[in-house]
Amino acid sequence: MKTTINIGDRFGHLTIINKDTRPLHRASWLCRCGCGRELYVITSDLLRGIKSCGCGTGKPSYNLDLTGKRFGLLNVISRSPNSKSTHTWLCRCDCGNTINLPTSYLLNGHNKSCGCITRKIRESSNQDLTGMRFKYLTVISRSQNPLHKEN
């Protein structure tokens, strides 16, 4: 674990700019977050693992243009015209459906499709596999006590 801090060191999205020059604040540092905000952070907070100013990703999401980018099966078409928020995107899935998703869902990987993948898995789990062979195993019957229960 790191115990000393120097100008230029990075802690997540925070970059150390300078030692705090304010009177009575010897144990803190002036830092710049990836979003551009500057703030003073106590040495112990940096060493404990603080990663940003609290902005979330360290990047200003209002500046991001995701138009034309792909996330899994989703292709971002434009900002969502029907949304009250400017942080929502209209996306077209490879299956042909469109869906509105927030920036954070796309960037964090929460959604990789419109839901069609989940529907396919659900549909395939209802198939009768009795008598089918998978390498050295043959399906005899469907279990009455499955490990994964659907809601």
Side-chain angles (χ1 to χ4, degrees):
M1 185 169 112
K2 189 172 186 155
T3 57
T4 61
I5 298 175
N6 298 307
I7 295 172
D9 286 354
R10 291 188 57 104
F11 294 86
H13 297 288
L14 294 174
T15 304
I16 304 298
I17 300 172
N18 203 355
K19 183 84 172 128
D20 193 344
T21 56
R22 301 176 298 171
L24 305 175
H25 291 91
R26 294 185 322 221
S28 60
W29 297 85
L30 179 60
C31 302
R32 181 177 292 126
C33 184
C35 69
R37 181 174 173 219
E38 292 184 1
L39 67 153
Y40 290 101
V41 182
I42 299 170
T43 302
S44 60
D45 286 347
L46 289 167
L47 295 176
R48 248 186 265 136
I50 190 168
K51 303 278 190 234
S52 73
C53 67
C55 62
T57 62
K59 298 177 183 174
S61 60
Y62 55 86
N63 285 359
L64 290 178
D65 185 11
L66 301 179
T67 305
K69 299 216 166 123
R70 284 189 69 81
F71 299 91
L73 300 179
L74 298 171
N75 187 23
V76 180
I77 300 169
S78 64
R79 288 200 189 272
S80 181
N82 301 331
S83 175
K84 295 176 185 173
S85 169
T86 59
H87 304 294
T88 306
W89 298 89
L90 178 63
C91 304
R92 174 163 284 127
C93 185
D94 287 351
C95 72
N97 290 334
T98 57
I99 185 172
N100 292 318
L101 291 172
T103 303
S104 60
Y105 280 37
L106 293 168
L107 295 178
N108 295 334
H110 289 286
N111 288 69
K112 295 182 180 168
S113 74
C114 66
C116 62
I117 294 174
T118 308
R119 284 192 297 273
K120 285 179 188 174
I121 291 170
R122 224 180 275 133
E123 289 168 3
S124 68
S125 67
N126 293 330
Q127 289 179 353
D128 183 18
L129 304 176
T130 306
M132 294 182 78
R133 190 172 177 89
F134 298 93
K135 291 196 178 196
Y136 301 108
L137 302 173
T138 303
V139 179
I140 299 170
S141 66
R142 186 178 196 102
S143 172
Q144 297 303 317
N145 189 13
L147 296 174
H148 174 72
K149 296 181 181 180
E150 294 182 20
N151 294 334

